[in-house]
């Protein structure tokens, strides 16, 4: 039995998200497992560092799998490159410790959200940005972002229900900057709840547009009520940039 | 009668090129004329600065038209933005002199050709770059590029046949540089023949890969034989960046 680690990129536009589902083969995990199983001649199940939702992209998704194979990492890489569709790419395949698990061992992640903050047409990036032309006050958004840093219960900023699983997470950095016609939000933390980055971004946009106070994020953290937070921005602006391991 | 000038961007992937054709509505000119005619309530014919081939993109195409209308430039802009498909955008519409003609008055153009010069997957730019992973010697290509500068008969570098029209053009600059995994070719000149930028780039790539001498471009200029030049790179890497007017 050999263990492998993969770095994966994908354009999520055509897919129903990372996670394999019955009834559709349009998932990233499903496509990867199909190519790996066919290439290795044995059924392969891979673990991603986490699920990405339908329409979300990745430049730095990490996955792991174990398989009974004589193939080396570079041979597996070549087979992936030959057989994967053009919107899913494997950057590298490396041998991993048999104990390595892409989800369980992940200690940090970085997501980027791209907003097209302009009236001008957005032709070439249209699948990867959310068009929001209203004027945005970056200083206000940065004030709110500071209040979100650190360890909090982010239940109010997530699509998760109250349950057994902890909704406490630590955000280590939020960067907001202009890049030409875009406003780019970059979030780093130990992990993110379901739709958390998209709800954080929607809330920050409402603050940046002046319809909500920066301080209001404290109330959302306190009440844990989804209804107190802002809207959920569309999936297409979101990209998983990096997964960190110790 | 009012005259207008437009700056247009498009993703050429879905289109059969700029020029209106019978039998298909999948042309940039056709889409623009349909939207303008419907918006203004009168038939509108527009002139582009030049045709772009099927699959070629534009960040800086310029077009002009005249129409009997009471609408102002900004109203026409808003109508274009409301009704054009998401892969065609109008950056601005301005009133123009009645004598302005986007093709006849053009004095210079700049095209960019993007080569993905890496084994790594190219997920997000895949519609806009040509994947050519072989090692490239930029110095060799720059030597050849220098020989192409100036006023020459570029018949050998074009898909045109010998005819009544002059195939003499002046190239004022060719820039070749690395940008991460890409090698980007930028060509400026007073005008370009049919497929000229794509054949120049294919020839330079053969030189950069070492299978052809830099000096060989002189022979192509002398003989005017298409067969002496290199291959035609695919349309998708090409983008019209700028059209200049005095």
């Amino acid at each position: 039995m050999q263990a492998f680690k993969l770095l994966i990129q994908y354009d999520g536009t055509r897919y129903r998200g990372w996670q394999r589902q019955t009834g559709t083969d349009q998932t990233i995990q499903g496509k990867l497992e199909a190519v790996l199983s066919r290439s290795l001649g044995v059924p392969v199940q891979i673990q991603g560092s986490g699920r990405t939702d339908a329409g979300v992209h990745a430049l730095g998704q990490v996955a792991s799998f174990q398989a009974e194979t004589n193939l080396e990492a570079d041979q597996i890489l070549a087979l992936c490159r030959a057989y994967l569709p053009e919107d899913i790419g494997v950057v590298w395949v490396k041998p991993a410790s048999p104990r390595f698990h892409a989800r369980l061992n992940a200690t940090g992640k970085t997501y980027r959200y791209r907003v097209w903050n302009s009236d001008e047409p957005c032709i070439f990036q249209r699948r990867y940005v959310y068009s929001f032309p209203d004027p945005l006050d970056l200083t206000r958004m940065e004030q709110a972002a500071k209040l979100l840093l650190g360890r909090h219960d982010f239940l109010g900023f997530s699509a998760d229900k109250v349950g057994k699983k902890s909704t406490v997470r630590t955000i280590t950095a939020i960067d907001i900057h202009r890049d030409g016609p875009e406003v780019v939000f970059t979030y780093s933390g130990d992990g993110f709840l379901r739709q958390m980055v998209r709800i954080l971004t929607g809330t920050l946009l409402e603050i940046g547009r002046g319809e909500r106070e920066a301080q209001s994020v404290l109330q959302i953290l306190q009440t844990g009520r989804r209804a107190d937070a802002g809207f959920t921005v569309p999936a297409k602006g979101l990209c998983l940039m990096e997964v960190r391991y110790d």
Side-chain angles (χ1 to χ4, degrees), chain A residues 15-193:
Chain A
Y15 296 95
R16 300 204 177 177
W18 168 267
Q19 194 178 33
R20 183 189 341 111
Q21 296 170 37
T22 51
T24 175
D25 65 350
Q26 283 302 105
T27 67
I28 315 295
Q29 187 184 22
K31 291 286 179 196
L32 281 162
E33 288 181 346
V35 166
L36 287 169
S37 299
R38 192 172 61 173
S39 299
L40 274 57
V42 292
V44 173
Q45 294 209 347
I46 64 172
Q47 301 95 33
S49 74
R51 309 166 186 179
T52 53
D53 286 335
V56 174
H57 316 292
L59 274 166
Q61 174 68 291
V62 175
S64 56
F65 71 92
Q66 300 203 356
E68 202 68 67
T69 179
N70 295 321
L71 293 177
E72 294 189 10
D74 280 349
Q75 295 173 301
I76 295 172
L77 176 65
L79 288 162
C80 285
R81 290 195 176 161
Y83 295 115
L84 280 170
E86 63 174 9
D87 48 9
I88 304 177
V90 176
V91 181
W92 46 251
V93 179
K94 292 179 183 170
S97 148
R99 282 180 306 230
F100 178 74
H101 188 290
R103 180 169 56 81
L104 299 176
N105 295 155
T107 56
K109 285 184 187 171
T110 297
Y111 279 94
R112 182 182 67 188
Y113 197 90
R114 292 171 63 187
V115 169
W116 186 263
N117 187 226
S118 167
D119 276 327
E120 297 219 346
C122 172
I123 302 301
F124 296 94
Q125 300 302 318
R126 66 188 188 277
R127 292 181 184 83
Y128 314 121
V129 299
Y130 167 46
S131 197
F132 187 89
D134 300 352
L136 289 171
D137 181 337
L138 260 69
T139 308
R140 280 174 66 91
M141 295 195 287
E142 282 162 354
Q143 284 166 355
K146 265 188 202 153
L147 302 174
L148 292 163
L149 295 182
R151 185 174 160 85
H152 303 284
D153 185 339
F154 286 98
L155 178 64
F157 288 100
S158 107
D160 290 335
K161 306 274 180 236
V162 181
K164 286 180 190 161
K165 289 192 180 171
S166 168
T167 47
V168 173
R169 295 291 185 276
T170 300
I171 298 184
T172 52
I174 302 177
D175 177 77
I176 308 172
H177 71 270
R178 285 199 187 275
D179 181 9
E182 294 185 30
V183 174
V184 181
F185 298 77
T186 308
Y187 302 85
S188 294
D190 60 355
F192 294 89
L193 305 172

